[in-house]
Amino acid sequence: MDLLEYQGKQLFARHGVPVPTGRPASTVEEAVAAADEIGYPCVVKAQVQIGGRGKAGGIKVAKNREEAREHADAILGMDIRGLTVHEVWIEGASEIASEYYASVVFDRSAKAPLIMLSTKGGMDIEAVAEEDPEAIARLHVDPLLGFQDFHGRRLAFDAGVDADVVRPVGEMLSKLYGVFIEEEATLVEVNPMIVTPGSAADGGGREVKALDAKVTLDDNALFRHPDNATLRDLSQEDPQERMAKERGLTYVKLDGDIGILGNGAGLVMSTLDVVDQAGGKPANFLDAGGGSKAEAITSAVEVILSDPKVKAVLFNIFGGITRGDEVAKGLIEAFYQIKPKVPFVVRLDGTNDKEGRQLLADANLPNVVTESTMDGAAQKVVELANA
């Protein structure tokens, strides 16, 4: 579950991570009131779960009340890369001497949290990793040992941060790691992590703050964090993925036009590959799960067909605990309820596959073709989609 920036910052604040003062607003009047309370200059920031807000005009500095109103009115309702802005975050403007990048992510290959730090903050970190990989210091943390003070010092020295902020940068990384572990996140990212002007030499004592917050929480752990579960922003979620989640289906939307349904993640992944090899483009990943009943199949068909780009659908079922006749009954019921306008290719194999194919034959559903092999089914569905 991805959080909006202000939700991530509120989470940070609970763990002692220094963040600028701010308030969320969903109307122009609320934004102006928040700006008056925080003071000027302030920043009006669009709240959407996507990068590139600044380039799209979603981040503006307001020097007075009139500008705050003008910026809030322009940003609320704005479309940023397909996402509509429903909220803004009003934040006190920060003085910036340096911009760093910091993140904690779970590295599945190493089976350990990975902490990254770079002095090239405020930039696309993927571009930095490609153009200058040495600019990013990396360190895996033993989950049993946890984050230690020397980890922060090592990362700071490896990244080349200014000497007077080595300690506060280390403290920031320690707190971000605490957010990552205690909130059961899969990603905690700050870009940029800013260093304020001043220096220890002149008594200024420079500070390190999180000017942005990108947090992804583990959906599977939300039952242990009921407060975090309430942060889900349904308006930012894909409507098909939200529908599937409500029906207990594992669904991921893709960019193609061939709907995919299988039982078991491995089989669905293989189906995506076979369709791609046949020259098609999958529109989704949908795993109906083992032991899929007719009701689940009907729900799956509704989810797949809710995507207007879908031109054909491939059912690839290998029966173990899933029975072919139950799948056939679900598809027949779906056709009676939904009356699909696109062709279906069905490959049934395994438990009760003959019974399932017989049910489909007896039902004589329009636009339903059965195939005996995965390759044959993939080629047929690509042919039908192209037609």
Side-chain angles (χ1 to χ4, degrees):
M1 183 178 78
D2 295 326
L3 300 186
L4 295 169
E5 174 198 356
Y6 82 88
Q7 294 172 330
K9 284 181 174 176
Q10 290 172 342
L11 202 65
F12 283 180
R14 295 211 305 257
H15 290 266
V17 176
V19 294
T21 301
R23 277 184 54 189
S26 56
T27 67
V28 173
E29 294 305 322
E30 287 179 3
V32 172
D36 287 343
E37 180 179 333
I38 291 168
Y40 300 95
C42 64
V43 185
V44 183
K45 307 177 79 173
Q47 296 300 289
V48 287
Q49 295 168 350
I50 201 166
R53 292 175 298 165
K55 294 179 181 178
I59 299 178
K60 297 290 186 181
V61 177
K63 298 178 182 178
N64 51 54
R65 198 170 197 266
E66 289 70 28
E67 289 189 0
R69 180 180 297 277
E70 178 185 339
H71 295 328
D73 185 55
I75 293 174
L76 284 167
M78 176 185 290
D79 182 280
I80 299 181
R81 294 168 61 184
L83 295 177
T84 302
V85 179
H86 298 288
E87 292 180 282
V88 292
W89 176 244
I90 311 299
E91 181 175 89
S94 299
E95 295 186 43
I96 303 173
S98 301
E99 295 185 354
Y100 296 162
Y101 168 90
S103 68
V104 187
V105 62
F106 186 72
D107 186 345
R108 297 184 184 279
S109 61
K111 299 179 181 179
L114 171 65
I115 301 182
M116 292 183 281
L117 178 66
S118 175
T119 55
K120 293 189 174 182
M123 300 172 59
D124 183 351
I125 197 63
E126 287 79 9
V128 174
E130 183 176 345
E131 297 167 7
D132 188 11
E134 298 301 319
I136 304 175
R138 298 173 172 85
L139 178 75
H140 285 98
V141 177
D142 184 331
L144 297 179
L145 179 63
F147 189 90
Q148 303 295 317
D149 289 345
F150 72 86
H151 289 144
R153 292 193 294 271
R154 175 178 167 181
L155 283 163
F157 286 125
D158 288 349
V161 306
D162 296 335
D164 65 305
V165 291
V166 168
R167 185 180 294 277
V169 165
E171 292 173 352
M172 171 73 82
L173 293 176
S174 177
K175 291 174 181 177
L176 292 177
Y177 183 81
V179 174
F180 181 83
I181 295 298
E182 293 176 34
E183 302 295 340
E184 299 192 76
T186 57
L187 171 69
V188 171
E189 182 181 78
V190 179
N191 189 22
M193 178 173 73
I194 63 167
V195 179
T196 61
S199 67
D202 63 18
R206 299 202 295 171
E207 297 180 323
V208 176
K209 294 182 179 181
L211 197 60
D212 196 8
K214 183 176 181 181
V215 178
T216 301
L217 301 175
D218 184 354
D219 282 11
N220 296 315
L222 287 180
F223 71 95
R224 287 192 288 266
H225 305 275
D227 290 345
N228 290 345
T230 63
L231 299 177
R232 185 181 297 278
D233 185 356
L234 297 180
S235 68
Q236 300 291 327
E237 294 185 4
D238 179 87
Q240 278 83 41
E241 294 187 356
R242 184 169 68 247
M243 182 191 300
K245 189 174 296 181
E246 290 170 353
R247 301 180 182 206
L249 299 169
T250 303
Y251 175 94
V252 178
K253 189 173 181 178
L254 303 174
D255 297 328
D257 57 9
I258 297 176
I260 305 292
L261 180 142
N263 59 314
L267 180 62
V268 180
M269 291 296 291
S270 300
T271 307
L272 299 181
D273 290 340
V274 173
V275 168
D276 182 72
Q277 291 170 2
K281 294 184 178 180
N284 64 272
F285 169 106
L286 197 157
D287 174 15
S292 299
K293 301 294 184 181
E295 183 179 352
I297 299 299
T298 303
S299 293
V301 171
E302 290 177 340
V303 171
I304 292 173
L305 295 182
S306 67
D307 182 353
K309 294 190 300 181
V310 170
K311 296 179 180 178
V313 179
L314 172 57
F315 267 44
N316 188 17
I317 303 295
F318 185 83
I321 56 175
T322 299
R323 291 168 40 188
D325 57 334
E326 282 288 343
V327 173
K329 290 176 183 177
L331 184 56
I332 293 169
E333 182 62 28
F335 264 71
Y336 287 149
Q337 291 183 14
I338 307 168
K339 295 180 173 54
K341 300 296 190 295
V342 301
F344 278 64
V345 177
V346 181
R347 179 249 182 174
L348 288 178
D349 198 6
T351 305
N352 289 7
D353 55 350
K354 293 180 180 178
E355 292 85 344
R357 286 194 292 270
Q358 187 60 52
L359 284 171
L360 292 175
D362 294 341
N364 193 27
L365 300 176
N367 290 330
V368 174
V369 178
T370 58
E371 289 286 340
S372 58
T373 67
M374 192 188 313
D375 286 337
Q379 292 169 5
K380 187 63 177 180
V381 78
V382 171
E383 175 188 326
L384 292 170
N386 291 336

